[in-house]
Amino acid sequence: MTILELRNLTKVFGGRVRAVDDVSLTIEAGATFGLLGESGSGKSTLARLIPRLIEPTSGEIFFEGKPLQNLRERDLRPVREQIQIVFQNPFSSLNPRMTVRELIGEPLYIHKRASGAALDEQVREMMRLVGLNPEHTNRFPHEFSGGQRQRIGIARAIILRPKLLILDEPTSALDVSVQAQVLNLLIDLQRTLHLTYLLITHDLSVVRYMCDDVALMYLGSIVEQGTVQRIFRQPAHPYTQALLRDIPSTDPDQRMLESVSLEADIVSAPWNGQGCRFSPRCPVAQIGECKTVEPALVEVTTGQRAACHLVKPHLVTP
Ligand code: SF4
């Protein structure tokens, strides 16, 4: 069953910056969908468009088949209980003057779900669930480590029992040694609470470890999308190939296009708005079509779509 569908979602800032540009995707209930991109690719803006924390310029959002774009603020509240975000930085996203009890229990209070002793009990239950000591409810965020703070952020996000969790770089502010612990906690919680994840990251290894499907965003647009198995085995888009070049493939012969490397970065090689948005950095860009015609996202093979003039369906074996 599809839990989330985005159709042609677009967000333009200041009348001209297309932070999210015509994005369409679907996420199945119970799956982990990875959204992969560099900073500036629009992935965090996309995360905030879904529960309408910021308003889309155009396009449609369907949650469990219901369109969200025309809901009034009051009607959005129950939807926002079902769609929660875990933010990247557990150091800045938690109010330092609130106790853990207040931080984790606040959503229950705001949505009038519980108060008093019932709220306390639910907070303690959430703390146990995320691996925190439930006796520490009166402590403040600074008394916890980075990993523990992110567990507080996760407890706060799941206390309303949402269906969809948007995880915005949930481990990138943490030490490498605790990243895996937090990812494993998320895997456990997904099983226990039947959660669906939209996982936003710039880290390929996190995608490979966690995700069923992945979409690669570049300058606001999806340039390749498919199952993790397919994309990591046979990346079709030159951008994906460049990102994957350092990851050893178990079966390199399966790669149909040669691996490429990127010398320019997203800032030093700006796109002028014409042709393929990746053309200023693309090592295999062609003169002509690549500079003048924006490639559409087309099916390469079952379970994989890419936006590149050089990628033809027959190049990749099914
Ligand atoms: Fe590179 Fe051209 Fe493909 Fe864009 S369309 S990724 S510039 S080869």
Side-chain angles (χ1 to χ4, degrees), residues 28 35 54 115 118 124 134 147 154 177 182 192 217 221 232 287 298:
E28 298 302 312
L35 197 57
I54 52 177
S115 59
R124 281 195 292 271
I154 292 167
S177 56
V182 172
T192 317
M217 271 189 95
S221 189
F232 275 73
I287 306 209
V298 295

Side-chain angles (χ1 to χ4, degrees), residues 61-105:
I61 306 161
F62 296 87
F63 180 70
E64 296 189 311
K66 288 191 291 278
L68 304 190
Q69 60 275 10
N70 296 323
L71 290 185
R72 286 170 302 177
E73 196 62 28
R74 195 185 57 203
D75 299 323
L76 262 180
R77 283 176 75 103
V79 176
R80 289 196 178 129
E81 291 182 30
Q82 301 292 327
I83 305 175
Q84 294 284 318
I85 303 186
V86 174
F87 292 100
Q88 170 180 358
N89 196 330
F91 300 91
S92 61
S93 61
L94 301 177
N95 185 335
R97 282 187 285 276
M98 288 168 79
T99 64
V100 171
R101 175 189 180 276
E102 291 165 334
L103 284 164
I104 297 177

